Every structure is written in structure tokens, then in C-alpha cells.
């Protein structure tokens, strides 16, 4: 079967482009590793202006955000995408709206993450992310109810620090050693409370934190989501 028979991945990105660029790199590296030569992934990307998205998030204008995401999903479907990858954890708050807007599936970021945690024999995880991801129910509920994980989030002051570093630094491409130390301390406190692993539940956190920064396994949602997209793209095409 020709390489061009890969399924087309529809990427909803730009939230922020710093992590969307990592998705593009990870997906294409994985396809080349699987297929060899100069093979690369078949993708379409809708990339938002994150300044607009960030403002709407902090104004709690979620219906407007949902409408924009649904429009992006429909545009990717019309462009030929076979399935969708939403390149952000926070905006999975509107996953149901996206799924209702199109006839192609959405690969939910929490699912490959939870499957990796369970495959490692772990069940109690600490969750880092934006305040929206840590404090709203949409993400924790999926991990807990669908996958049977126990989820710990940082205490209030730590949640505020994690959120601020994401929005003030990481989405702007700033990776600071002082902020890495803040995250390491937050992780250590989650481990002290019983976390067996830590989920990097914001797609920019992988720019700052890796396995070397934690005494327990780290599960990077960006990488796990990207690799799951490749598995689906090659599997759907028959190349997997």
C-alpha cells in the first residue's frame, strides 16, 4: 500500500503554537521511524491566534470558544481530515461540542495518557496543567470515571503557580530554570501525598519538565497524544 494512503490527521492547534510545533515534530518523526526513508505524516492544521483564545478563556466565554473549535473541526473535516487531534489539554473542556459538530472522530488526549498510566501498573496520579484543567471537572472526571484512576491536583497556591508559569512564560516560549524548580517542588509535594506518577496535563509543560525532574514516572500528554495519532493514522490506512 502506498505511503500516501495514510489517514489524514486534522490538527486543531495554535493553543499555543509552541506545543503545536511539538505535535508536528513528534508526529512526523514517528511516521518516518515507522515507514522509513523520507516518509512524513499527512496532516491538516487549523491554527488559532492564541491571544484571542487566552482572552476568552480568562473571561470565561466558553460558549464562544466552543463555537470557534466547532468551526475549526468542520473546516478540517471539509478539507479531508479522517480524524481530529485537539493539540491542547485545556480546550478538551469542549470536546463534546467538537464531536457533535463533525462526522469524524476526535482522539481525546486523556485516553492515551490514561492507558499509558494503566499499562505501567499505576493508578494514583498527580495532575499538572492550567487552572482550568486542574480545577474544572472535564479532565479529572474522564481519568477517574472512564479509566479508574485516582487523581490528585496541587494545593491552591501550587495550582496558581503552575498556571501562571504556563501563561506568562511557556506559551511565549520562555523556559526558565527558576520555574523548573517551582515545578519540581510542586511535583515533590504531590509525591509526598501519594502520587505514583505525574501527568503533564498541559501541552507546553513538556518544554520545561521531563523525567529527570521527578522521582516518579512522568507521563507527557503531548508525546502520548501525538504517538496515538500516528498509530491511528497508520492503522486506519492499513500501514500499521
Amino acid at each position: 500500500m502506498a505511503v500516501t494512503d495514510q489517514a489524514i490527521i486534522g490538527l486543531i492547534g495554535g493553543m499555543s503554537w509552541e506545543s503545536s510545533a511539538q505535535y508536528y515534530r513528534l508526529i512526523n518523526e514517528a511516521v518516518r521511524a515507522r515507514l522509513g526513508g523520507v516518509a512524513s505524516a499527512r496532516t491538516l492544521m487549523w491554527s488559532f491566534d492564541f491571544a484571542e483564545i487566552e482572552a476568552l478563556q480568562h473571561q470565561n466565554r466558553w460558549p464562544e470558544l466552543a463555537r470557534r473549535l466547532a468551526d475549526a473541526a468542520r473546516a478540517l473535516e471539509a478539507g479531508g481530515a479522517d480524524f481530529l487531534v485537539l493539540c491542547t489539554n485545556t480546550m478538551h473542556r469542549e470536546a463534546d461540542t467538537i464531536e457533535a459538530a463533525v462526522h469524524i472522530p476526535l482522539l481525546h488526549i486523556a485516553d492515551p495518557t490514561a492507558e499509558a498510566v494503566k499499562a505501567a501498573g499505576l493508578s494514583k496520579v498527580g495532575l499538572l496543567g492550567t487552572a482550568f484543567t486542574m480545577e474544572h471537572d472535564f479532565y479529572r472526571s474522564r481519568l477517574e470515571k472512564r479509566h479508574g484512576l485516582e487523581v490528585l491536583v496541587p494545593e491552591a497556591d501550587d495550582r496558581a503557580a503552575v498556571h501562571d508559569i504556563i501563561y506568562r512564560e511557556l506559551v511565549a516560549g520562555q523556559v526558565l530554570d527558576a520555574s523548573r524548580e517551582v515545578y519540581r517542588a510542586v511535583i515533590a509535594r504531590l509525591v509526598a501525598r501519594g502520587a505514583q506518577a505525574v501527568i503533564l496535563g498541559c501541552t507546553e509543560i513538556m518544554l520545561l519538565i521531563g523525567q529527570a525532574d521527578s522521582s516518579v514516572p512522568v507521563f507527557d500528554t503531548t508525546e502520548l497524544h501525538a504517538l496515538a495519532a500516528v498509530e491511528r493514522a497508520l492503522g486506519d490506512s492499513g500501514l500499521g
Side-chain angles (χ1 to χ4, degrees):
M1 184 172 290
V3 171
T4 52
D5 287 336
Q6 295 177 54
I8 299 174
I9 306 170
L11 301 165
I12 305 177
M15 298 172 286
S16 68
W17 72 259
E18 295 285 348
S19 60
S20 299
Q22 299 303 316
Y23 270 90
Y24 189 74
R25 176 182 62 82
L26 289 164
I27 287 170
N28 281 288
E29 286 178 349
V31 168
R32 183 170 59 192
R34 289 278 295 275
L35 301 183
V38 295
S40 57
R42 300 181 72 199
T43 63
L44 296 172
M45 179 179 283
W46 178 284
S47 189
F48 283 98
D49 177 357
F50 189 60
E52 298 176 358
I53 299 300
E54 184 272 340
L56 292 169
Q57 288 173 341
H58 286 95
Q59 293 165 12
N60 289 316
R61 294 172 60 185
W62 298 102
E64 171 64 14
L65 287 162
R67 183 189 65 77
R68 293 189 183 203
L69 289 171
D71 287 345
R74 283 189 286 263
L76 289 170
E77 181 179 38
D82 293 300
F83 67 96
L84 298 173
V85 171
L86 180 58
C87 303
T88 163
N89 286 272
T90 296
M91 293 315 301
H92 276 75
R93 187 184 190 277
E94 307 303 331
D96 290 347
T97 299
I98 294 171
E99 290 176 323
V102 293
H103 300 95
I104 56 175
L106 171 70
L107 179 58
H108 197 291
I109 195 169
D111 294 339
T113 301
E115 293 300 333
V117 172
K118 292 187 293 184
L122 306 172
S123 61
K124 190 172 184 178
V125 297
L127 175 63
L128 301 179
T130 67
F132 311 114
T133 298
M134 294 185 289
E135 296 173 2
H136 296 187
D137 186 55
F138 70 95
Y139 201 90
R140 293 170 59 185
S141 177
R142 194 173 185 100
L143 294 174
E144 292 170 343
K145 295 178 180 178
R146 180 169 295 208
H147 295 284
L149 300 179
E150 183 178 353
V151 181
L152 302 176
V153 297
E155 301 294 345
D157 287 348
D158 283 347
R159 292 198 304 271
V162 168
H163 179 90
D164 287 346
I165 287 167
I166 292 168
Y167 278 93
R168 293 180 183 178
E169 299 170 17
L170 298 182
V171 299
Q174 297 180 33
V175 180
L176 306 180
D177 289 340
S179 296
R180 183 175 295 110
E181 291 303 319
V182 171
Y183 270 60
R184 285 174 173 170
V186 173
I187 290 171
R189 285 189 280 275
L190 287 170
V191 173
R193 290 169 51 198
Q196 301 168 322
V198 173
I199 291 175
L200 306 185
C202 171
T203 53
E204 283 82 23
I205 295 179
M206 56 92 75
L207 301 172
L208 182 67
I209 291 293
Q211 186 57 64
D213 301 296
S214 172
S215 62
V216 297
V218 167
F219 292 87
D220 172 18
T221 55
T222 307
E223 181 173 20
L224 291 166
H225 201 201
L227 295 181
V230 171
E231 289 297 320
R232 170 162 282 197
L234 300 186
D236 284 355
S237 69
L239 295 170

